[in-house]
Amino acid sequence: MKPIPWEIRRELLIKAEEETNPDYGHIPDKRPVEEHIKYGVINLDKPAGPSSHEVVAWVKRILNLTRAGHSGTLEA
């Protein structure tokens, strides 16, 4: 009988610890808000009514973005 997944003892194996070079990015919890907006993802629960296209247009206008889009459908 296989063990139950939450009863399996697991260990995290770290091969090497490295520092993030600020020339190539940021530590995630220290990333500036501007970069979250520029490269981020918004998890949106769209209400019934407005189309996916309308919601993308609103997000662009609210966040003052030139580019935004959606993946798949936002329809329920």
Side-chain angles (χ1 to χ4, degrees):
M1 185 162 95
K2 289 185 176 182
I4 302 171
W6 55 86
E7 291 181 350
I8 298 173
R9 183 162 185 235
R10 301 177 193 271
E11 293 182 39
L12 178 64
L13 175 62
I14 300 173
K15 292 185 178 185
E17 292 278 350
E18 293 293 331
E19 294 291 321
T20 300
N21 182 334
D23 293 337
Y24 300 104
H26 300 278
I27 297 171
D29 61 342
K30 297 191 181 344
R31 185 169 291 132
V33 172
E34 295 80 16
E35 286 204 14
H36 280 290
I37 292 171
K38 185 174 181 181
Y39 301 112
V41 174
I42 297 173
N43 186 7
L44 178 71
D45 184 10
K46 186 185 83 58
S51 70
S52 302
H53 181 79
E54 285 177 299
V55 173
V56 170
W58 295 340
V59 168
K60 285 173 60 175
R61 188 171 55 242
I62 291 167
L63 297 177
N64 194 27
L65 301 174
T66 56
R67 295 175 48 175
H70 65 87
S71 177
T73 182
L74 299 177
E75 307 308 324

Coordinates of all heavy atoms in Angstrom, one line a residue:
M1 N 0.8 -1.2 0.0 CA 0.0 0.0 0.0 C 0.9 1.3 0.0 O 1.8 1.3 0.8 CB -0.9 0.0 1.2 CG -1.9 1.1 1.3 SD -3.2 0.8 2.4 CE -2.7 1.7 3.8
K2 N 0.6 2.2 -0.9 CA 1.4 3.4 -1.0 C 1.1 4.3 0.2 O -0.1 4.4 0.7 CB 1.1 4.2 -2.3 CG 1.6 3.5 -3.5 CD 1.3 4.4 -4.7 CE 1.9 3.8 -5.9 NZ 1.8 4.7 -7.1
P3 N 2.1 5.1 0.7 CA 1.8 6.1 1.8 C 0.9 7.2 1.3 O 0.9 7.6 0.1 CB 3.2 6.5 2.2 CG 4.0 6.3 1.0 CD 3.5 5.1 0.3
I4 N 0.2 7.8 2.2 CA -0.6 9.0 1.8 C 0.3 10.2 1.6 O 1.3 10.4 2.3 CB -1.6 9.3 3.0 CG1 -2.4 8.1 3.3 CG2 -2.4 10.5 2.7 CD1 -3.3 8.2 4.6
P5 N 0.1 11.0 0.5 CA 1.1 12.0 0.1 C 1.5 13.0 1.3 O 2.6 13.3 1.4 CB 0.3 12.8 -1.0 CG -0.6 11.8 -1.6 CD -1.0 10.9 -0.4
W6 N 0.5 13.4 2.1 CA 0.9 14.3 3.2 C 1.7 13.7 4.3 O 2.2 14.3 5.2 CB -0.3 15.1 3.7 CG -1.4 14.2 4.2 CD1 -1.6 13.6 5.4 CD2 -2.6 13.7 3.4 NE1 -2.7 12.9 5.5 CE2 -3.3 12.9 4.3 CE3 -3.0 13.9 2.1 CZ2 -4.5 12.3 3.9 CZ3 -4.2 13.3 1.7 CH2 -4.9 12.5 2.6
E7 N 1.8 12.3 4.3 CA 2.5 11.6 5.3 C 4.0 11.3 4.8 O 4.8 10.8 5.6 CB 1.8 10.4 5.7 CG 0.5 10.6 6.5 CD -0.1 9.3 6.9 OE1 0.2 8.2 6.5 OE2 -1.1 9.4 7.7
I8 N 4.3 11.6 3.6 CA 5.6 11.4 3.1 C 6.5 12.5 3.6 O 6.2 13.7 3.4 CB 5.6 11.4 1.5 CG1 4.7 10.2 1.0 CG2 7.0 11.2 1.0 CD1 4.5 10.2 -0.5
R9 N 7.7 12.1 4.1 CA 8.6 13.1 4.6 C 9.4 13.5 3.4 O 10.0 12.7 2.7 CB 9.5 12.5 5.6 CG 10.5 13.5 6.2 CD 11.1 13.0 7.5 NE 11.9 14.1 8.0 CZ 13.2 14.0 8.3 NH1 13.7 12.8 8.3 NH2 13.8 15.1 8.8
R10 N 9.5 14.8 3.2 CA 10.2 15.4 2.0 C 11.3 16.4 2.5 O 11.1 17.0 3.5 CB 9.3 16.1 1.1 CG 8.2 15.2 0.6 CD 7.2 16.0 -0.3 NE 6.0 15.2 -0.6 CZ 5.8 14.3 -1.6 NH1 6.8 14.2 -2.4 NH2 4.7 13.7 -1.7
E11 N 12.4 16.5 1.7 CA 13.4 17.4 2.1 C 13.7 18.3 0.9 O 13.6 17.8 -0.3 CB 14.7 16.6 2.4 CG 14.6 15.8 3.7 CD 15.9 15.1 4.1 OE1 16.9 15.7 3.8 OE2 15.8 14.0 4.5
L12 N 14.0 19.5 1.1 CA 14.4 20.4 0.1 C 15.9 20.3 -0.2 O 16.7 20.5 0.8 CB 14.0 21.9 0.4 CG 14.3 22.9 -0.6 CD1 13.6 22.7 -1.9 CD2 14.0 24.3 0.0
L13 N 16.3 20.0 -1.4 CA 17.7 19.9 -1.7 C 18.2 21.2 -2.4 O 17.6 21.6 -3.4 CB 18.0 18.7 -2.6 CG 19.4 18.6 -3.1 CD1 20.4 18.3 -2.0 CD2 19.5 17.4 -4.1
I14 N 19.1 21.9 -1.8 CA 19.6 23.1 -2.3 C 21.0 22.8 -2.8 O 21.9 22.5 -2.0 CB 19.6 24.3 -1.3 CG1 18.2 24.6 -0.9 CG2 20.3 25.5 -1.9 CD1 18.1 25.6 0.3
K15 N 21.3 22.9 -4.1 CA 22.6 22.6 -4.6 C 23.6 23.7 -4.4 O 24.8 23.5 -4.2 CB 22.5 22.3 -6.1 CG 21.8 21.0 -6.4 CD 21.8 20.7 -7.9 CE 21.1 19.3 -8.1 NZ 21.2 19.0 -9.5
A16 N 23.1 25.0 -4.5 CA 24.0 26.1 -4.3 C 23.2 27.3 -4.0 O 22.1 27.5 -4.5 CB 24.8 26.4 -5.6
E17 N 23.7 28.1 -3.0 CA 23.0 29.4 -2.7 C 23.7 30.5 -3.6 O 24.9 30.5 -3.7 CB 23.2 29.7 -1.2 CG 22.5 28.8 -0.3 CD 21.0 29.2 -0.1 OE1 20.6 30.3 -0.6 OE2 20.3 28.4 0.5
E18 N 22.9 31.3 -4.2 CA 23.4 32.4 -5.0 C 22.7 33.7 -4.7 O 21.5 33.7 -4.3 CB 23.3 32.1 -6.5 CG 24.2 31.0 -6.9 CD 25.7 31.2 -6.9 OE1 26.1 32.4 -7.0 OE2 26.4 30.3 -6.7
E19 N 23.4 34.8 -4.8 CA 22.8 36.1 -4.7 C 22.2 36.6 -6.0 O 22.8 36.2 -7.1 CB 23.8 37.2 -4.2 CG 24.3 36.9 -2.8 CD 23.3 37.1 -1.7 OE1 22.5 38.1 -1.8 OE2 23.2 36.3 -0.8
T20 N 21.2 37.4 -6.0 CA 20.6 37.9 -7.3 C 21.5 39.2 -7.6 O 21.6 40.1 -6.8 CB 19.2 38.4 -7.1 OG1 18.4 37.2 -6.7 CG2 18.6 39.0 -8.3
N21 N 22.0 39.2 -8.8 CA 22.8 40.3 -9.3 C 21.8 41.4 -9.7 O 21.0 41.1 -10.6 CB 23.6 39.9 -10.5 CG 24.5 41.0 -11.1 OD1 24.2 42.2 -10.9 ND2 25.6 40.6 -11.7
P22 N 21.8 42.6 -9.1 CA 20.9 43.6 -9.4 C 20.9 44.1 -10.9 O 19.9 44.7 -11.3 CB 21.2 44.8 -8.4 CG 22.5 44.4 -7.9 CD 22.8 43.0 -8.1
D23 N 22.0 43.8 -11.6 CA 22.0 44.1 -13.0 C 21.1 43.2 -13.8 O 20.7 43.6 -15.0 CB 23.4 43.9 -13.6 CG 24.4 44.9 -13.0 OD1 24.0 46.0 -12.5 OD2 25.6 44.6 -13.0
Y24 N 20.6 42.1 -13.3 CA 19.8 41.2 -14.0 C 18.4 40.9 -13.4 O 17.7 40.0 -13.8 CB 20.5 39.8 -14.1 CG 21.8 39.9 -14.9 CD1 23.0 39.9 -14.2 CD2 21.9 40.1 -16.2 CE1 24.2 40.0 -14.8 CE2 23.1 40.3 -16.9 CZ 24.3 40.2 -16.2 OH 25.4 40.4 -16.9
G25 N 18.0 41.7 -12.5 CA 16.7 41.6 -11.9 C 16.6 41.9 -10.4 O 17.6 42.5 -9.9
H26 N 15.6 41.5 -9.8 CA 15.3 41.8 -8.4 C 14.9 40.6 -7.6 O 14.3 39.7 -8.2 CB 14.2 42.9 -8.3 CG 14.5 44.1 -9.0 ND1 15.2 45.1 -8.4 CD2 14.1 44.6 -10.2 CE1 15.3 46.1 -9.2 NE2 14.6 45.8 -10.3
I27 N 15.2 40.6 -6.3 CA 14.6 39.6 -5.5 C 13.1 39.8 -5.5 O 12.7 41.0 -5.4 CB 15.2 39.8 -4.0 CG1 16.7 39.5 -4.1 CG2 14.5 38.8 -3.1 CD1 17.4 39.9 -2.8
P28 N 12.3 38.8 -5.7 CA 10.9 39.0 -5.9 C 10.2 39.9 -4.9 O 9.4 40.8 -5.2 CB 10.3 37.6 -5.8 CG 11.4 36.7 -6.3 CD 12.7 37.4 -5.8
D29 N 10.5 39.8 -3.6 CA 9.8 40.6 -2.6 C 10.3 42.0 -2.5 O 9.8 42.8 -1.8 CB 9.7 39.9 -1.2 CG 11.1 39.7 -0.6 OD1 12.1 39.7 -1.4 OD2 11.2 39.5 0.6
K30 N 11.4 42.3 -3.3 CA 12.0 43.7 -3.3 C 11.8 44.3 -4.7 O 12.4 45.4 -4.9 CB 13.4 43.6 -2.9 CG 13.7 43.1 -1.5 CD 15.1 43.3 -1.0 CE 15.4 42.9 0.3 NZ 14.4 42.6 1.3
R31 N 11.0 43.7 -5.5 CA 10.8 44.2 -6.9 C 10.0 45.4 -6.8 O 8.9 45.5 -6.2 CB 10.1 43.1 -7.7 CG 9.9 43.5 -9.2 CD 9.5 42.3 -10.0 NE 10.6 41.4 -10.1 CZ 10.4 40.1 -9.9 NH1 9.3 39.5 -9.6 NH2 11.5 39.3 -10.0
P32 N 10.4 46.5 -7.6 CA 9.6 47.8 -7.6 C 8.2 47.6 -8.2 O 8.0 46.7 -9.1 CB 10.4 48.7 -8.4 CG 11.8 48.1 -8.6 CD 11.6 46.6 -8.3
V33 N 7.2 48.3 -7.7 CA 5.9 48.3 -8.2 C 5.8 48.5 -9.7 O 5.0 47.8 -10.4 CB 5.0 49.3 -7.4 CG1 3.6 49.4 -8.1 CG2 4.9 49.0 -6.0
E34 N 6.6 49.4 -10.2 CA 6.6 49.6 -11.7 C 6.9 48.4 -12.5 O 6.4 48.2 -13.5 CB 7.7 50.7 -12.0 CG 7.4 52.1 -11.4 CD 7.7 52.2 -9.9 OE1 8.5 51.4 -9.4 OE2 7.2 53.2 -9.3
E35 N 7.8 47.5 -12.0 CA 8.1 46.3 -12.7 C 7.0 45.3 -12.6 O 6.8 44.5 -13.5 CB 9.5 45.7 -12.2 CG 10.6 46.5 -12.7 CD 11.9 45.7 -12.8 OE1 11.9 44.5 -12.7 OE2 13.0 46.3 -13.0
H36 N 6.3 45.3 -11.4 CA 5.2 44.4 -11.3 C 4.1 44.7 -12.3 O 3.5 43.9 -12.9 CB 4.6 44.5 -9.9 CG 5.3 43.7 -8.8 ND1 5.3 42.3 -8.8 CD2 6.1 44.1 -7.8 CE1 6.0 41.9 -7.8 NE2 6.5 42.9 -7.2
I37 N 3.9 46.0 -12.5 CA 2.9 46.5 -13.5 C 3.4 46.2 -14.9 O 2.7 45.7 -15.7 CB 2.6 48.0 -13.3 CG1 1.9 48.2 -12.0 CG2 1.8 48.5 -14.5 CD1 1.7 49.6 -11.6
K38 N 4.7 46.4 -15.2 CA 5.2 46.3 -16.5 C 5.2 44.8 -17.0 O 4.9 44.5 -18.1 CB 6.6 46.8 -16.6 CG 7.2 46.8 -18.0 CD 8.6 47.5 -18.1 CE 9.1 47.5 -19.5 NZ 10.4 48.2 -19.5
Y39 N 5.6 43.9 -16.0 CA 5.8 42.5 -16.4 C 4.8 41.6 -15.7 O 4.9 40.4 -15.7 CB 7.2 42.0 -16.1 CG 8.2 42.8 -16.8 CD1 9.1 43.6 -16.1 CD2 8.4 42.7 -18.2 CE1 10.1 44.4 -16.8 CE2 9.3 43.4 -18.8 CZ 10.2 44.2 -18.2 OH 11.1 44.9 -18.8
G40 N 3.8 42.1 -15.0 CA 3.0 41.4 -14.1 C 1.8 40.7 -14.7 O 1.5 40.9 -15.9
V41 N 1.1 40.0 -13.9 CA -0.1 39.3 -14.3 C -1.2 39.7 -13.3 O -1.0 39.8 -12.1 CB 0.0 37.7 -14.2 CG1 -1.3 37.0 -14.5 CG2 1.1 37.3 -15.2
I42 N -2.4 40.0 -13.8 CA -3.5 40.3 -13.0 C -4.5 39.2 -13.0 O -4.9 38.8 -14.1 CB -4.2 41.6 -13.4 CG1 -3.3 42.8 -13.4 CG2 -5.5 41.9 -12.6 CD1 -3.8 44.1 -14.0
N43 N -4.8 38.6 -11.8 CA -5.8 37.5 -11.7 C -7.1 38.2 -11.5 O -7.4 38.8 -10.5 CB -5.4 36.6 -10.6 CG -6.3 35.4 -10.5 OD1 -7.1 35.2 -11.4 ND2 -6.2 34.6 -9.5
L44 N -8.0 38.1 -12.5 CA -9.2 38.9 -12.5 C -10.4 38.0 -12.6 O -10.5 37.1 -13.4 CB -9.2 39.9 -13.7 CG -10.4 40.7 -13.9 CD1 -10.5 41.8 -12.8 CD2 -10.4 41.4 -15.3
D45 N -11.3 38.2 -11.7 CA -12.6 37.5 -11.7 C -13.6 38.4 -12.3 O -14.2 39.3 -11.7 CB -13.0 37.1 -10.3 CG -14.3 36.3 -10.2 OD1 -14.7 35.8 -11.3 OD2 -14.8 36.1 -9.1
K46 N -13.8 38.3 -13.6 CA -14.6 39.2 -14.4 C -16.1 39.0 -14.1 O -16.5 37.9 -14.2 CB -14.3 39.1 -15.9 CG -15.1 40.1 -16.8 CD -14.9 39.8 -18.2 CE -15.8 38.8 -18.8 NZ -17.2 39.0 -18.6
P47 N -16.8 40.0 -13.8 CA -18.3 39.9 -13.6 C -19.0 39.7 -14.9 O -18.4 40.0 -16.0 CB -18.7 41.2 -12.9 CG -17.7 42.2 -13.4 CD -16.4 41.4 -13.6
A48 N -20.2 39.1 -14.9 CA -21.0 39.0 -16.1 C -21.3 40.4 -16.6 O -21.5 41.3 -15.8 CB -22.3 38.2 -15.8
G49 N -21.4 40.6 -17.9 CA -21.8 41.9 -18.5 C -20.7 42.4 -19.4 O -20.9 42.2 -20.6
P50 N -19.6 43.0 -18.9 CA -18.6 43.6 -19.8 C -17.9 42.4 -20.6 O -17.7 41.3 -20.0 CB -17.7 44.3 -19.0 CG -17.8 43.7 -17.6 CD -19.3 43.2 -17.5
S51 N -17.5 42.7 -21.8 CA -16.8 41.8 -22.6 C -15.3 41.7 -22.1 O -14.8 42.6 -21.5 CB -16.8 42.1 -24.1 OG -16.0 43.3 -24.3
S52 N -14.6 40.7 -22.5 CA -13.2 40.5 -22.2 C -12.4 41.7 -22.8 O -11.5 42.3 -22.1 CB -12.6 39.2 -22.8 OG -13.3 38.1 -22.3
H53 N -12.8 42.1 -24.0 CA -12.1 43.3 -24.6 C -12.3 44.5 -23.8 O -11.4 45.3 -23.7 CB -12.7 43.4 -26.1 CG -12.0 44.5 -26.8 ND1 -10.8 44.4 -27.4 CD2 -12.5 45.8 -27.1 CE1 -10.5 45.6 -28.0 NE2 -11.5 46.4 -27.8
E54 N -13.5 44.8 -23.3 CA -13.8 45.9 -22.5 C -12.9 46.0 -21.2 O -12.4 47.0 -20.9 CB -15.3 46.0 -22.1 CG -16.2 46.4 -23.2 CD -17.6 46.4 -22.8 OE1 -18.1 45.3 -22.4 OE2 -18.3 47.5 -22.8
V55 N -12.8 44.8 -20.6 CA -12.1 44.7 -19.3 C -10.6 45.0 -19.6 O -10.0 45.7 -18.8 CB -12.3 43.4 -18.6 CG1 -11.4 43.2 -17.4 CG2 -13.7 43.2 -18.2
V56 N -10.1 44.5 -20.7 CA -8.7 44.8 -21.0 C -8.5 46.3 -21.3 O -7.5 46.9 -20.8 CB -8.2 43.9 -22.2 CG1 -6.9 44.4 -22.7 CG2 -8.1 42.5 -21.9
A57 N -9.4 46.9 -21.9 CA -9.4 48.3 -22.2 C -9.4 49.1 -20.9 O -8.6 50.1 -20.7 CB -10.5 48.8 -23.1
W58 N -10.2 48.7 -19.9 CA -10.3 49.4 -18.6 C -9.0 49.2 -17.9 O -8.5 50.2 -17.3 CB -11.4 48.8 -17.8 CG -12.8 49.0 -18.3 CD1 -13.2 49.9 -19.3 CD2 -13.9 48.3 -18.0 NE1 -14.5 49.8 -19.5 CE2 -15.0 48.8 -18.7 CE3 -14.2 47.2 -17.1 CZ2 -16.3 48.3 -18.7 CZ3 -15.5 46.7 -17.1 CH2 -16.5 47.3 -17.8
V59 N -8.4 48.0 -17.9 CA -7.1 47.8 -17.2 C -6.0 48.7 -17.8 O -5.3 49.3 -17.1 CB -6.7 46.3 -17.2 CG1 -5.3 46.1 -16.8 CG2 -7.7 45.5 -16.4
K60 N -6.0 48.8 -19.1 CA -5.0 49.6 -19.8 C -5.2 51.1 -19.4 O -4.2 51.8 -19.1 CB -5.1 49.5 -21.3 CG -4.6 48.2 -21.9 CD -4.9 48.0 -23.3 CE -4.3 49.1 -24.2 NZ -4.5 48.8 -25.6
R61 N -6.4 51.5 -19.4 CA -6.7 52.9 -19.0 C -6.4 53.2 -17.5 O -5.7 54.2 -17.2 CB -8.1 53.3 -19.3 CG -8.4 54.8 -19.2 CD -9.8 55.2 -19.7 NE -10.9 54.5 -19.1 CZ -11.7 53.7 -19.8 NH1 -11.6 53.6 -21.1 NH2 -12.7 53.0 -19.2
I62 N -6.8 52.3 -16.6 CA -6.6 52.5 -15.2 C -5.1 52.5 -14.9 O -4.6 53.3 -14.1 CB -7.3 51.5 -14.4 CG1 -8.8 51.7 -14.5 CG2 -6.9 51.5 -12.9 CD1 -9.7 50.5 -14.0
L63 N -4.3 51.6 -15.5 CA -2.9 51.5 -15.1 C -2.0 52.3 -16.1 O -0.8 52.2 -16.0 CB -2.5 50.0 -15.1 CG -3.2 49.1 -14.1 CD1 -2.8 47.7 -14.2 CD2 -2.9 49.6 -12.7
N64 N -2.6 53.0 -17.0 CA -1.9 53.8 -18.0 C -0.9 53.0 -18.8 O 0.3 53.3 -18.8 CB -1.2 55.0 -17.3 CG -0.7 56.0 -18.2 OD1 -1.2 56.2 -19.3 ND2 0.4 56.8 -17.9
L65 N -1.4 51.9 -19.4 CA -0.5 51.0 -20.1 C -0.7 51.1 -21.6 O -1.8 51.5 -22.0 CB -0.9 49.5 -19.7 CG -0.7 49.1 -18.3 CD1 -1.2 47.7 -18.0 CD2 0.8 49.2 -17.9
T66 N 0.3 50.9 -22.4 CA 0.1 50.9 -23.8 C -0.2 49.5 -24.4 O -0.8 49.4 -25.4 CB 1.4 51.4 -24.5 OG1 2.5 50.6 -24.1 CG2 1.7 52.8 -24.2
R67 N 0.2 48.5 -23.6 CA -0.1 47.1 -24.0 C -0.7 46.3 -22.9 O -0.2 46.3 -21.8 CB 1.2 46.4 -24.5 CG 1.8 47.1 -25.7 CD 3.2 46.5 -26.0 NE 3.1 45.0 -26.0 CZ 4.1 44.2 -26.4 NH1 5.2 44.7 -26.8 NH2 4.0 42.9 -26.3
A68 N -1.7 45.5 -23.2 CA -2.3 44.6 -22.3 C -3.1 43.6 -23.1 O -3.4 43.8 -24.2 CB -3.1 45.3 -21.2
G69 N -3.3 42.4 -22.5 CA -4.1 41.4 -23.2 C -4.6 40.4 -22.2 O -4.4 40.5 -21.0
H70 N -5.3 39.4 -22.7 CA -5.8 38.3 -21.9 C -5.5 37.0 -22.6 O -5.3 36.9 -23.8 CB -7.3 38.5 -21.6 CG -8.2 38.3 -22.8 ND1 -8.7 37.1 -23.2 CD2 -8.7 39.3 -23.6 CE1 -9.4 37.3 -24.3 NE2 -9.5 38.6 -24.5
S71 N -5.4 36.0 -21.8 CA -5.1 34.7 -22.2 C -6.3 33.8 -22.1 O -6.9 33.7 -21.1 CB -4.0 34.0 -21.4 OG -3.7 32.7 -21.8
G72 N -6.8 33.3 -23.2 CA -8.0 32.6 -23.2 C -9.2 33.5 -23.1 O -9.2 34.6 -23.4
T73 N -10.3 32.9 -22.5 CA -11.5 33.7 -22.4 C -11.7 34.2 -21.0 O -11.2 33.5 -20.0 CB -12.7 32.9 -22.8 OG1 -13.9 33.7 -22.7 CG2 -12.9 31.6 -22.0
L74 N -12.3 35.3 -20.8 CA -12.6 35.8 -19.5 C -14.1 35.5 -19.2 O -14.6 35.9 -18.1 CB -12.3 37.3 -19.4 CG -10.9 37.7 -19.6 CD1 -10.7 39.2 -19.5 CD2 -10.0 37.1 -18.5
E75 N -14.8 34.9 -20.1 CA -16.2 34.6 -19.9 C -16.4 33.5 -18.9 O -15.6 32.6 -18.8 CB -16.8 34.3 -21.3 CG -16.6 35.3 -22.4 CD -16.9 36.7 -22.0 OE1 -17.9 37.0 -21.3 OE2 -16.2 37.6 -22.5
A76 N -17.5 33.6 -18.2 CA -17.8 32.5 -17.2 C -18.2 31.2 -17.9 O -18.6 31.1 -18.9 CB -18.9 33.0 -16.3

